[in-house]
Amino acid sequence: MGWSSRKKWLLLMKGPPGSGKSTVARALGARLAWPVIDKDDARDFLADDQAGLSYRIMLAVARTQLRQGLCVIADSPLGYGKFYRAAMEAADETGAAVAVVECECSDRELWRSRIEGRASGNLAAHHTVTWKQVDDFLSRTAADPPEIRVPLLAVDTAQRLDVCVDQALLWLSALDGADQSPSVTVSPTR
């Protein structure tokens, strides 16, 4: 069941590979009935030297959805300042409010197992499947980190998915100032 927000939202997911951001994004999209635009859906079809194009494609699709009056979830690591600034431009052009959900996994072994578990999947070659690739990503993005100047919620994805989603829904509802909050289930943190 969807949720009627008062504002048109561009909800940006943020976090390193394996942090759980795509899982949280899809669950939020399902609960809110908002489209999820995943950078990797474009990246899967691009050559390595065109990787940055996937962000531009994601934001172009998001911009189109926002112009149609839809709230949108943009799923990417959001590790670079230039892509955050481009997302802010898209929001400004469409009159969308922006918020960021940053996914972190406090349990390093769980995080590592998520990454290494990807190796047996049928993923495109660009996906991160080793811990060294995570370290490389963190090193690359350290040169141009985004300076987030919009509401940001940090979610620890070592918790159960329903807990993470409920936290994000309550936070977003408070930001939106809605009379009704999206349906939320109350459950223990683990």
Side-chain angles (χ1 to χ4, degrees), residues 17-101:
S19 62
K21 68 190 164 300
S22 295
T23 301
V24 172
R26 287 189 297 267
L28 281 170
R31 290 274 293 275
L32 295 168
W34 292 3
V36 176
I37 316 296
D38 187 339
K39 174 207 61 93
D40 283 340
D41 288 342
R43 178 67 182 93
D44 288 349
F45 296 98
L46 299 172
D48 286 344
D49 63 344
Q50 297 178 313
L53 182 58
S54 60
Y55 283 92
R56 294 200 327 252
I57 292 168
M58 176 190 71
L59 291 174
V61 173
R63 187 179 287 111
T64 298
Q65 300 301 305
L66 290 165
R67 284 187 181 133
Q68 295 298 315
L70 297 174
C71 296
V72 174
I73 300 170
D75 181 16
S76 78
L78 198 63
Y80 297 98
K82 65 182 175 182
F83 298 122
Y84 170 74
R85 291 185 295 276
M88 295 305 295
E89 287 174 16
D92 287 344
E93 289 171 17
T94 60
V98 181
V100 175
V101 173

Side-chain angles (χ1 to χ4, degrees), residues 101-168:
V101 173
E102 182 168 13
C103 294
E104 306 165 339
C105 184
S106 63
D107 182 337
R108 200 160 174 88
E109 289 308 310
L110 174 60
W111 185 14
R112 184 181 212 112
S113 72
R114 289 175 183 170
I115 292 295
E116 292 170 352
R118 293 173 164 190
S120 61
N122 190 18
L123 298 174
H126 71 88
H127 286 274
T128 303
V129 295
T130 68
W131 198 249
K132 181 184 179 330
Q133 290 174 305
V134 171
D135 285 337
D136 291 347
F137 168 84
L138 296 173
S139 294
R140 278 192 319 273
T141 57
D144 180 29
E147 293 180 28
I148 308 294
R149 297 189 176 165
V150 297
L152 181 142
L153 173 70
V155 174
D156 184 356
T157 62
Q159 302 174 97
R160 290 191 339 243
L161 178 60
D162 63 320
V163 173
C164 296
V165 170
D166 287 350
Q167 288 173 346

